[in-house]
Amino acid sequence: MQTAIYPGSFDPITVGHLDVIRRAANMFERVIVCVVANANKKTLLTLEERKEQAERVTAAFPNVEVDSWNGLLVDYAKQFDKPVVVRGLRALSDFEYEFMMALTNKKLNPGVETIFLATDEKYMYLSSSAVKEIAAFHGDVTEFLPPEILDDVLRKYQQEGS
Ligand code: PNS
């Protein structure tokens, strides 16, 4: 069974991420959403919160699982046979970073292929960072977040005193 790994920070998971997951689930027998503890980023949500939210919003997909990982993605990928890493591509500005990551992962483990799914144009300008910035200034993020997690993300901002 070919496994697709969809890694990311998912801080928080957005409707754009969910669109990529839905499409990957139509292409692969098994999709694992891998919530990564990203050492380079200070996150709003803890790893456990991000994982639990990803589980909640993907509960309806029978071939989608959620996992978390603290380490190199290629090390996580080692447990699978011919794994494919899926990443969404939005604007051209994503390309350099994504290309660098795909090549680095390939160098570290030549068995790991990366494929890119072009974003639906509806989500072209959607990112977790933009959602956080809008939410921090009490803007409306309703259309950017899955309804199942909206209140939890907004509550987190209230707790943080933002
Ligand atoms: O949602 P993001 O923050 O763009 O996802 C980036 C992520 C988590 C996929 C990337 O940072 C990652 O794979 N981190 C794990 C550490 C690793 O393997 N780094 C080497 C890749 S250059």
Side-chain angles (χ1 to χ4, degrees):
M1 189 194 298
Q2 186 157 42
T3 302
I5 304 167
Y6 180 40
S9 303
F10 304 112
D11 184 45
I13 194 161
T14 68
V15 290
H17 293 129
L18 208 49
D19 181 58
V20 172
I21 294 167
R22 187 179 298 118
R23 289 159 62 202
N26 285 332
M27 297 167 65
F28 294 92
E29 285 173 275
R30 183 183 186 203
V31 176
I32 299 182
V33 177
C34 183
V35 183
V36 177
N38 200 327
N40 296 324
K41 282 186 184 173
K42 186 188 172 315
T43 56
L44 170 72
L45 302 158
T46 65
L47 185 64
E48 291 70 28
E49 287 168 331
R50 289 180 277 144
K51 180 170 183 262
E52 188 279 318
Q53 292 184 359
E55 280 165 349
R56 230 187 303 159
V57 302
T58 59
F61 299 100
N63 61 335
V64 175
E65 296 156 48
V66 179
D67 203 355
S68 59
W69 181 250
N70 188 354
L72 285 178
L73 184 63
V74 288
D75 288 337
Y76 178 77
K78 273 181 190 157
Q79 61 190 294
F80 305 103
D81 183 35
K82 299 192 184 72
V84 173
V85 172
V86 174
R87 292 283 291 171
L89 264 191
R90 291 166 303 186
L92 198 60
S93 52
D94 281 347
F95 185 76
E96 197 172 338
Y97 169 64
E98 294 295 337
F99 196 58
M100 177 279 291
M101 254 196 328
L103 292 186
T104 306
N105 286 336
K106 185 100 183 153
K107 182 92 183 156
L108 293 171
N109 181 348
V112 176
E113 292 291 350
T114 299
I115 65 160
F116 299 110
L117 291 184
T119 185
D120 187 300
E121 60 182 343
K122 289 202 290 283
Y123 308 122
M124 184 103 176
Y125 298 104
L126 174 56
S127 68
S128 298
S129 311
V131 170
K132 283 184 283 193
E133 193 160 332
I134 296 165
F137 291 108
H138 311 292
D140 184 6
V141 292
T142 315
E143 67 181 288
F144 306 133
L145 294 177
E148 299 93 325
I149 66 162
L150 179 66
D151 287 348
D152 287 350
V153 174
L154 295 180
R155 197 172 306 119
K156 190 82 185 188
Y157 271 102
Q158 284 159 7
Q159 281 167 8
E160 302 261 313
S162 304

